[in-house]
Amino acid sequence: MTAFELSDDHENFRKVVRDFAEREVAPHVAQWDRDHHLPLEIVRQMGDLGLFGLAVPEEFGGAGGDFTSLCVAIEELGRVDQSIGITLEAGVGLGINPILTYGTDEQKQTWLPDLVAGRALAGFGLTEPEAGSDAGATRTRASLDDGYWTINGAKAFITNSGTDMTSLVTVTAKTAENEISSIIVPAGTPGFVVEPPYEKLGWHISDTHGLTFEDCRVPEENLLGRRGDGFRQFLAVLDDGRIAIAALAVGLAQACLDLSVDYAKGRTTFGTPIGSRQGVAFQLSDLAVAVEAARLLTYKAAALKDAGTAPAKLKQAASIAKLYATEAAVTATRTATQVFGGNGFMEEYPVARFYRDAKILEIGEGTSEVQRMLIARGLGLPVA
């Protein structure tokens, strides 16, 4: 087996998640999308299936498995719906992973069991209205006094931050000049305000809010990891997240390919299937190549993660996978919509939903421009 080939166990697990997605998600997803509704029962069912704990040690209720398995699950959920896929991706990568990686034993014992079981969700408050790609421009501040952190500031576009089962949000804040730290803020803490949900282009089922903190006080022991390590922490969190987003993009691109091939076989014009025409067939051939390349890049990066590869090499692989897979996904939706013609413009067809959902893939967890910058730096180029 090469480093880029999934094991039989991974492929068998894929079948389990695919069955769940097609049975429990697919029949309802169009209505959930119209209603902008995240069904928390699905989150709990994903927890029952063990999806949140795939790469979490058994002592915290997880399966003790590998990161590749998580990517398989995200891909298969994303093949049916991107919002459900990102709910899992963010729940693990941005909710569980920071606490698992940097938390104290007490923090892990307090928060992880419910998160891993799918009884709770958590968010990661990094992005701000004036600090997106330039995360070092964080304006949220936290001051320590009498054993409490007092937090003031605002966060934007935070996934899983406002559901009825959200238990906490980890936020980055300036704790001194040129010092950024991460702090756990439990849901319901006075001064922690969840703003109304965004009206988004896509990901209608996903829970996304802005957050504000007004003299929000949490105990000193809610500091995550060492003081001043917040910037380093979120950079590492984003590297893992980029691989997972690439897996989400692969799921979308595969769905577009499958739907388009089926449609091209059945849709006839002038007495023959549209798939018999080179103008359609060649577009789908190109799409098949892109899907295969995106999947290989994604699972290569996941394998490197599982192998404990050096951070610099992993960062390069993650950025390459994220850049290629997400841009391939956006192209896939454009191709699929074109193949479907007028029907592709109608919301009753999944390709219209995928078209709306795809664009954020090129933005979240670092824009395509940021990925190109990181890749160039990995090549040794002095790009600013």
Side-chain angles (χ1 to χ4, degrees), residues 55-375:
V56 177
E58 294 179 5
E59 64 182 295
F60 302 115
D66 56 17
F67 183 74
T68 296
S69 296
L70 175 62
C71 289
V72 169
I74 291 169
E75 179 190 342
E76 285 303 316
L77 290 173
R79 196 177 65 87
V80 171
D81 182 67
Q82 291 282 286
S83 291
I84 301 299
I86 194 60
T87 299
L88 175 63
E89 190 279 332
V92 176
L94 301 178
I96 291 172
N97 193 40
I99 297 173
L100 178 64
T101 305
Y102 304 110
T104 64
D105 288 341
E106 183 178 355
Q107 288 169 343
K108 293 176 185 178
Q109 294 293 343
T110 298
W111 301 109
L112 288 182
D114 283 344
L115 295 174
V116 170
R119 295 189 295 265
L121 288 170
F124 189 78
L126 169 63
T127 303
E128 298 186 359
E130 302 300 327
S133 297
D134 182 14
T138 296
R139 295 185 180 181
T140 298
R141 293 185 175 273
S143 58
L144 183 61
D145 184 51
D146 291 332
Y148 283 84
W149 293 104
T150 300
I151 306 170
N152 285 281
K155 299 293 179 178
F157 316 133
I158 309 305
T159 305
N160 293 343
S161 61
T163 74
D164 289 342
M165 62 192 303
T166 298
S167 61
L168 69 104
V169 175
T170 302
V171 301
T172 54
K174 281 191 172 182
T175 46
E177 287 304 315
N178 301 317
E179 179 184 274
I180 295 176
S181 302
S182 299
I183 301 172
I184 296 172
V185 182
T189 301
F192 173 18
V193 179
V194 178
E195 302 295 341
Y198 291 104
E199 291 291 332
K200 298 173 293 187
L201 171 67
W203 283 6
H204 287 168
I205 302 171
S206 172
D207 178 79
T208 319
H209 299 264
L211 310 175
T212 58
F213 302 90
E214 301 173 356
D215 292 330
C216 177
R217 286 167 55 85
V218 298
E220 181 177 2
E221 56 266 28
N222 282 29
L223 180 72
L224 186 65
R226 295 183 302 182
R227 178 170 175 165
D229 276 0
F231 196 86
R232 179 183 63 83
Q233 290 169 359
F234 74 67
L235 288 179
V237 166
L238 289 180
D239 283 341
D240 292 358
R242 284 164 183 156
I243 304 171
I245 289 292
L248 186 63
V250 170
L252 185 151
Q254 183 68 61
C256 287
L257 176 60
D258 294 343
L259 291 166
S260 297
V261 168
D262 286 347
Y263 191 81
K265 290 177 180 178
R267 171 66 168 168
T268 60
T269 58
F270 306 103
T272 59
I274 61 173
S276 68
R277 297 184 173 81
Q278 291 183 359
V280 172
F282 286 4
Q283 287 189 71
L284 297 183
S285 297
D286 289 342
L287 179 51
V289 173
V291 171
E292 188 72 10
R295 181 173 285 112
L296 288 171
L297 288 171
T298 298
Y299 287 104
K300 172 188 174 182
L304 291 174
K305 161 71 177 174
D306 284 328
T309 302
K313 185 175 181 180
L314 180 62
K315 182 182 292 291
Q316 187 78 342
S319 289
I320 289 172
K322 202 269 184 184
L323 175 64
Y324 186 85
T326 58
E327 294 198 344
V330 171
T331 298
T333 63
R334 189 168 61 248
T335 298
T337 304
Q338 193 71 17
V339 168
F340 273 69
N343 286 333
F345 200 63
M346 301 298 142
E347 287 289 346
E348 65 185 279
Y349 290 88
V351 293
R353 171 166 45 87
F354 285 130
Y355 192 97
R356 290 188 284 102
D357 286 343
K359 184 58 189 175
I360 188 59
L361 296 170
E362 295 181 317
I363 298 171
E365 304 278 21
T367 64
S368 292
E369 291 77 15
V370 166
Q371 304 315 313
R372 288 185 166 89
M373 177 186 69
L374 293 173
I375 293 167

